[in-house]
Amino acid sequence: MRLRSGVFASSCLLVEVLGVALFLRGFFPVPVRSLPRREAGGELPAEPAPTGPGMVSNWTKIPPPLFKKVVIVLIDALRDDFVFGSKGEQFMPYTKQVIDRGPSYSFIAEVKPPTVTMPRIKALMTGSIPGFIDVIVNLNSPALLDDNLIWQAKTAGKRIIFYGDDTWVKLFPKHFVEYDGTTSFFVSDFTEVDDNVTRHLDRVLKREDWDLLILHYLGLDHIGHVTGPNSPLVGTKLREMDNILKKIHISLLSKEEASLPNLLVVCGDHGMSETGSHGGSSAGEVHTPLLFISSTFEKRSGPLTQPELVQQTDLASTLAVGLGLPISRNSVGNLILPVVGGRTMREQLRFVHLNGFQLSRLLQENTPAYEKDPGYEHFKIAEKSHANWIKLYLEGNNSEILLNLGKKVLKQYLEALKTLSSSLSKQVAQYDMYSMMVGIVIVMEVLLLLLLSIPKALSSRAEFEVPLSPPLFSLLFYLVCLMLCAVHVIVCTSAESLCYFCSMSWFTAVGVMMLISALMCGILSAIAKVFDNSRLPVKNPVLSSSSWSEIDVLILAGTVGHVLSLGASSFVEEEHQTWYFLINTLCLVLGQELCRNNFLLKEYDPQHSTTVKQNFEEDSEYKNIDIPAVDDSKLGKATISAEFSRGSDKWISLASPWIILICCRLLRSLNQTGVQWAHQPDFGHWLTRGITEARFVYVFVLGIVFSGTKDLLKSQVISSDSGMKSTGLWEVYSGLVLLAALLFRPHNLPVLVFCLLIQTMMTKYIWRPLKFDAAQITVMHYWFGQAFFYFQGNSNGIASVDVSAGFVGLESYVEIPAIFLTAFAAYAGPLLWAIHLLCYLSSEVSRNSAAVGHGCFCYALVRSLPVAVYIVLVTGLRYHLFIWSVFSPKLLYEGVHVFITATICLFFTAMDHNHSHKVQD
């Protein structure tokens, strides 16, 4: 079967999308899950049954609450040293006094990456560790459906009031009797965002109609993003927070009842890096203070030396016990024992038993061999010891033996809780290696197939024969299928943990095995043809002795160098510097080429150039190939028209690379991205855009795109008018430019202007006079597209995704339009350069009709190479310190980019209409 280059490249990319998706599913582990929350109200365990006839415990219900009112003050980006360090002593004197001398317990809560707000709120309220993929799946923070503290409190009839970050309102809709959400989008707001929370305090603290008050302050986080952790504004904000905590604490003390005290909890959702950002795994980002303040606690006798380290997930279990609620089913946290240390021994044992029972049940539902888990074994031993203690207690034994046995049982429970929590937490970081390896095999096979197909795919006809059922490999195909199926059975029957690929139906799994076998046979067939062709005599000695131009060397070295740089975390964080360097170097080389061809033409022999051209025309394989004369790139450039060289365009052409360099330098200053220089100031947001105006723009965009699509359909279906097709493509491109202008933040509009300017100059003054072939032009488009991705202010961190673009022109969250608009805004640079490539290759009438196919194939190849290498690197670095903070976000970007590239190549293939007709003729 004969396939065009574009069709072949698109098919390969679709298969690659399957491989990347399977790899991502295996790489990003699914958090441990228990039953849905609607089933979470099941039976609670009684105290362990004591041995002996007639001895039954009468405690079968949830213990009563330990506190009447609970106030949670969550200060966004509150680092541990902001409270326990020198800043705390200087700017938070009241809080520091309570920590050192007051009735409080202080801890440092360790946070698991990703250290961004929404997953951390989930961890605080559910006790579970959200998977990294939650950052993408829950980009708009839809309602949290897992069992959680807020839902349990509402179900128990407790009245909850919330003020602060509106992420809570989205996660817990209809859970609060009163709320006022503040948006976190406007990071330049340091004051009003917190004043909108504090203004409710005086009124609420006087009331008695609430049980749980949650306050989420965002000002400190905003200051960190804009000015960093060492800014003088941090001290001012900490002093403000100290006064608020003082007001709340005094109010709670004044309204306390003797029977049931109140509780004040102070915590942070995450910390802050040295640059003021968060999302990674540095010490400043993962360590936050956790304070419990209540009159029921013993006062400290001296200053706090070093707070104990606990897990952030421990808060959910501790608050559930304090409020007399069931512990969330998905919680992996441990009860913080000092908070309940003032209760009787029987109550303390009851609390830790409930926690251990919940963890052991969660382990049973997520681990097939749970009985062999050390934590489960320790829990069962502690449960037996607990039963013996209850027997002595019910017999009325009040001796020191009972107290000592109780302390021993308590210690056994705490060890069991720690081991159970560790086992469950490890499952979140447990990779599905089988699914990952299957994905890697598919992606690497696609890459090899593309590399081996380069000679035929870039030939003048841009098509080649694909043997679907060669007799030589038919037996091998079935043998490989049988071998892979056998491996699949062995892996799936012996795997101790859940595997996504094993959970697929046999029909789907066998289909994937057949696909892998077919790709392998195709690779072997291509290799055999390469060896066969190497034995044939060379038809064209000029072609075989061709040398590489400077552009070719730069393209190869730059592509390989970029791929190799992805193995270093620093290069991934600062990848924009790599692309800036490559396009700057490209502009310098283009400037050299233009100078050579405008001033050194006389050094070449035009007659020799003509002879070379005639040699190519005599060879049918390379007749009308879309490349310049290939004996030497300099000879190809010798055919530049004299009119161009003598005209004023000559000087504009010579100045073009330098103008482009100036534009790129200005764009670098527009948006600071990456990590090292992200804290440096860039242009502010000067303009706003209303919903009505945005909708008018949407109408214009749809109109332009519709007009272009109409012309495209006419050129494809009614007639083969290349002019009409070119007009339609440019109209579609214009519509996408207008849509990008609508979605870009106002200060980013110069990026779009410079994009159009550079494209125009490259087209008119560089590509046309230098007559580069389609492959070279495709790589240049790809490089500039990648550079403009970072010129927009994007980075390889999730935090740089401009979610607000998904709401332009929308009054509320609508999933499909929001996802499309957000993705388009993020990848506008690569998309616009890719569509411009298609428009340019289609409109150049002097080019071979195979140019679009060549462009499609090269675009697929340059995108597949970094993806294939990167997933192999990430697999090897899966236990790297920065795997979640640096490499994983980049992996998500690569996955989305592959999907977008596959869509682009399908569009290329659909537009490669003229070539298909010529081939058929």
Side-chain angles (χ1 to χ4, degrees):
M1 182 178 72
R2 301 190 69 83
L3 283 181
R4 288 178 287 147
S5 297
V7 176
F8 177 74
S10 301
S11 303
C12 287
L13 277 178
L14 290 177
V15 175
E16 186 174 3
V17 167
L18 171 64
V20 171
L22 195 56
F23 179 85
L24 291 176
R25 182 58 178 78
F27 183 83
F28 292 106
V30 179
V32 292
R33 287 289 184 264
S34 183
L35 296 175
R37 71 182 185 188
R38 64 176 179 273
E39 303 176 28
E43 72 288 347
L44 286 169
E47 284 183 311
T51 57
M55 306 208 67
V56 180
S57 171
N58 58 358
W59 198 350
T60 58
K61 296 183 179 179
I62 299 175
L66 308 181
F67 306 100
K68 181 182 179 182
K69 291 181 181 293
V70 175
V71 179
I72 302 175
V73 180
L74 193 158
I75 303 174
D76 209 294
L78 183 65
R79 239 162 58 164
D80 61 329
D81 61 334
F82 286 176
V83 175
F84 302 127
S86 58
K87 282 188 171 68
E89 294 179 356
Q90 182 179 359
F91 302 113
M92 304 188 76
Y94 182 83
T95 305
K96 198 69 171 64
Q97 180 186 357
V98 173
I99 291 172
D100 291 339
R101 304 286 180 178
S104 65
Y105 289 107
S106 304
F107 306 93
I108 293 178
E110 186 178 19
V111 181
K112 301 296 184 185
T115 49
V116 291
T117 297
M118 187 272 293
R120 305 281 47 92
I121 295 175
K122 285 186 175 183
L124 287 167
M125 293 296 105
T126 66
S128 62
I129 302 176
F132 193 92
I133 200 68
D134 283 0
V135 180
I136 302 301
V137 176
N138 297 309
L139 198 58
N140 191 55
S141 306
L144 179 62
L145 301 179
D146 294 339
D147 187 17
N148 60 81
L149 183 73
I150 301 296
W151 181 80
Q152 290 284 4
K154 180 177 181 292
T155 304
K158 295 190 180 294
R159 295 156 297 180
I160 313 170
I161 295 178
F162 171 78
Y163 304 118
D165 188 347
D166 59 0
T167 302
W168 290 77
V169 181
K170 297 174 183 177
L171 286 173
F172 309 105
K174 301 179 181 179
H175 285 68
F176 307 119
V177 295
E178 183 179 319
Y179 64 88
D180 185 10
T182 58
T183 181
S184 58
F185 282 139
F186 306 106
V187 295
S188 57
D189 178 12
F190 306 154
T191 307
E192 291 185 7
V193 71
D194 287 344
D195 290 345
N196 286 332
V197 178
T198 308
R199 65 191 177 95
H200 299 283
L201 272 183
D202 291 333
R203 175 176 53 86
V204 171
L205 291 175
K206 295 177 182 178
R207 291 159 43 185
E208 297 290 336
D209 60 343
W210 57 271
D211 302 295
L212 178 60
L213 173 64
I214 304 175
L215 309 172
H216 187 153
Y217 285 94
L218 288 165
L220 182 64
D221 177 70
H222 290 184
I223 291 173
H225 280 296
V226 176
T227 64
N230 299 315
S231 166
L233 296 175
V234 170
T236 305
K237 180 58 66 174
L238 291 177
R239 187 176 289 111
E240 177 189 343
M241 294 295 104
D242 187 58
N243 293 330
I244 291 170
L245 293 175
K246 179 179 180 180
K247 176 188 292 188
I248 296 172
H249 186 214
I250 293 175
S251 176
L252 290 178
L253 289 176
S254 66
K255 293 181 176 296
E256 266 191 358
E257 298 178 359
S259 59
L260 210 58
N262 298 324
L263 175 66
L264 171 61
V265 179
V266 183
C267 62
D269 54 346
H270 52 74
M272 185 187 298
S273 69
E274 289 302 319
T275 61
S277 62
H278 55 88
S281 57
S282 66
E285 294 170 273
V286 300
H287 288 157
T288 66
L290 178 58
L291 312 179
F292 296 89
I293 304 172
S294 176
S295 61
T296 190
F297 304 148
E298 293 183 0
K299 291 187 177 181
R300 296 188 59 84
S301 58
L304 180 70
T305 54
Q306 179 61 37
E308 181 185 349
L309 186 68
V310 298
Q311 297 299 313
Q312 188 183 51
T313 51
D314 296 342
L315 180 63
S317 303
T318 306
L319 285 181
V321 170
L323 291 168
L325 302 171
I327 298 175
S328 301
R329 296 288 295 268
N330 297 322
S331 173
V332 298
N334 295 340
L335 175 66
I336 302 176
L337 192 63
V339 178
V340 298
R343 312 303 293 187
T344 66
M345 180 58 70
R346 188 184 186 190
E347 288 177 310
Q348 292 184 53
L349 292 175
R350 175 63 171 158
F351 297 150
V352 292
H353 176 252
L354 287 173
N355 195 185
F357 179 84
Q358 172 262 324
L359 290 174
S360 62
R361 182 172 57 180
L362 186 61
L363 185 72
Q364 293 177 39
E365 295 172 359
N366 289 273
T367 306
Y370 67 91
E371 293 179 346
K372 298 179 182 179
D373 186 87
Y376 186 82
E377 293 175 350
H378 291 165
F379 175 71
K380 288 303 180 182
I381 293 173
E383 208 171 31
K384 291 179 181 178
S385 301
H386 190 184
N388 294 331
W389 185 92
I390 292 174
K391 179 181 179 181
L392 293 176
Y393 178 82
L394 295 178
E395 289 175 348
N397 190 330
N398 293 321
S399 65
E400 190 175 350
I401 298 176
L402 184 67
L403 179 61
N404 292 334
L405 180 59
K407 291 180 179 178
K408 177 183 177 183
V409 176
L410 197 60
K411 185 178 180 180
Q412 289 177 334
Y413 269 130
L414 292 178
E415 290 178 356
L417 293 180
K418 185 177 180 180
T419 310
L420 282 169
S421 179
S422 177
S423 298
L424 290 166
S425 299
K426 287 179 180 177
Q427 290 194 22
V428 179
Q430 185 175 356
Y431 300 99
D432 181 359
M433 287 302 300
Y434 185 42
S435 300
M436 290 170 59
M437 294 308 298
V438 173
I440 289 176
V441 169
I442 294 176
V443 173
M444 293 304 296
E445 285 185 331
V446 169
L447 176 62
L448 287 174
L449 204 55
L450 287 171
L451 290 173
L452 292 170
S453 304
I454 290 177
K456 286 291 185 180
L458 296 183
S459 65
S460 60
R461 295 179 63 84
E463 64 175 13
F464 45 88
E465 186 71 29
V466 178
L468 292 180
S469 56
L472 181 61
F473 297 109
S474 58
L475 179 59
L476 177 62
F477 172 78
Y478 291 111
L479 288 175
V480 172
C481 279
L482 289 174
M483 182 187 69
L484 292 177
C485 289
V487 171
H488 183 70
V489 172
I490 294 172
V491 171
C492 294
T493 54
S494 61
E496 295 183 357
S497 58
L498 294 177
C499 173
Y500 175 72
F501 192 59
C502 291
S503 65
M504 290 182 173
S505 65
W506 264 102
F507 179 79
T508 305
V510 171
V512 174
M513 300 300 175
M514 294 178 66
L515 175 63
I516 294 174
S517 303
L519 289 173
M520 184 177 296
C521 292
I523 292 171
L524 294 175
S525 176
I527 293 175
K529 284 191 174 183
V530 169
F531 280 109
D532 291 341
N533 293 335
S534 64
R535 299 190 185 98
L536 298 177
V538 179
K539 293 183 179 180
N540 197 322
V542 177
L543 180 66
S544 63
S545 61
S546 62
S547 61
W548 286 37
S549 67
E550 290 89 343
I551 292 291
D552 296 327
V553 174
L554 174 62
I555 286 175
L556 180 61
T559 302
V560 174
H562 166 254
V563 170
L564 295 178
S565 71
L566 297 178
S569 60
S570 298
F571 278 95
V572 173
E573 288 178 331
E574 308 296 331
E575 187 184 356
H576 59 286
Q577 302 287 2
T578 303
W579 290 112
Y580 296 166
F581 172 78
L582 289 178
I583 62 171
N584 290 343
T585 308
L586 176 63
C587 289
L588 292 176
V589 174
L590 290 175
Q592 174 187 316
E593 288 289 309
L594 288 168
C595 289
R596 174 185 296 141
N597 287 278
N598 280 283
F599 297 114
L600 303 178
L601 292 179
K602 296 181 180 180
E603 296 183 9
Y604 305 110
D605 184 2
Q607 184 176 359
H608 178 61
S609 175
T610 305
T611 305
V612 172
K613 183 178 178 182
Q614 291 174 352
N615 289 337
F616 277 97
E617 290 176 349
E618 292 172 359
D619 190 340
S620 60
E621 176 70 18
Y622 298 97
K623 187 176 181 180
N624 295 325
I625 190 170
D626 182 46
I627 56 174
V630 294
D631 177 61
D632 192 323
S633 60
K634 302 173 185 178
L635 295 179
K637 309 308 183 291
T639 59
I640 299 176
S641 62
E643 291 80 2
F644 180 87
S645 300
R646 288 194 298 266
S648 61
D649 285 350
K650 168 184 176 181
W651 301 107
I652 300 178
S653 175
L654 291 171
S656 295
W658 307 102
I659 296 175
I660 294 172
L661 279 173
I662 294 173
C663 293
C664 292
R665 184 62 190 88
L666 293 174
L667 288 172
R668 289 182 64 174
S669 303
L670 187 64
N671 289 298
Q672 299 294 343
T673 184
V675 174
Q676 297 298 325
W677 295 276
H679 63 281
Q680 294 184 356
D682 44 34
F683 297 149
H685 308 297
W686 298 327
L687 304 173
T688 57
R689 187 177 287 121
I691 292 178
T692 304
E693 294 85 347
R695 289 177 176 174
F696 274 112
V697 177
Y698 281 143
V699 172
F700 285 119
V701 170
L702 290 175
I704 294 173
V705 173
F706 174 79
S707 176
T709 305
K710 179 189 67 177
D711 290 339
L712 289 176
L713 291 176
K714 282 183 178 179
S715 67
Q716 299 290 97
V717 179
I718 300 177
S719 64
S720 299
D721 186 357
S722 60
M724 183 179 295
K725 182 179 76 171
S726 178
T727 302
L729 284 173
W730 285 113
E731 287 177 348
V732 171
Y733 176 73
S734 302
L736 295 179
V737 170
L738 185 57
L739 179 60
L742 171 66
L743 298 180
F744 276 13
R745 290 184 180 271
H747 77 277
N748 256 349
L749 290 178
V751 176
L752 196 59
V753 174
F754 281 122
C755 175
L756 298 176
L757 175 63
I758 292 173
Q759 286 175 348
T760 302
M761 297 191 72
M762 295 284 284
T763 299
K764 186 173 182 180
Y765 300 111
I766 296 179
W767 290 327
R768 284 176 181 167
L770 292 181
K771 299 186 183 302
F772 288 118
D773 60 57
Q776 294 171 322
I777 291 176
T778 299
V779 177
M780 293 183 202
H781 272 84
Y782 176 77
W783 281 17
F784 272 96
Q786 291 297 103
F788 270 84
F789 175 81
Y790 295 104
F791 284 148
Q792 293 175 230
N794 292 321
S795 69
N796 286 327
I798 301 298
S800 64
V801 176
D802 185 10
V803 185
S804 62
F807 295 85
V808 176
L810 304 177
E811 293 179 344
S812 61
Y813 177 71
V814 185
E815 186 173 8
I816 301 301
I819 292 175
F820 170 77
L821 294 176
T822 303
F824 181 85
Y827 289 91
L831 272 170
L832 291 179
W833 278 89
I835 301 302
H836 182 271
L837 171 65
L838 176 60
C839 295
Y840 173 75
L841 294 179
S842 299
S843 60
E844 291 291 287
V845 294
S846 61
R847 289 188 175 273
N848 189 309
S849 58
V852 174
H854 291 169
C856 180
F857 181 86
C858 291
Y859 201 85
L861 181 60
V862 295
R863 185 85 283 277
S864 299
L865 182 61
V867 172
V869 174
Y870 189 68
I871 63 174
V872 175
L873 290 173
V874 167
T875 303
L877 298 171
R878 62 188 181 277
Y879 297 113
H880 192 280
L881 176 63
F882 301 133
I883 186 63
W884 297 116
S885 58
V886 178
F887 294 103
S888 295
K890 170 65 175 175
L891 183 61
L892 288 174
Y893 276 110
E894 290 294 318
V896 175
H897 204 169
V898 167
F899 176 79
I900 292 175
T901 304
T903 306
I904 292 173
C905 284
L906 286 174
F907 188 51
F908 267 67
T909 304
M911 293 300 102
D912 194 13
H913 184 67
N914 290 344
H915 177 60
S916 63
H917 275 289
K918 291 184 179 181
V919 170
Q920 291 171 2
D921 294 341

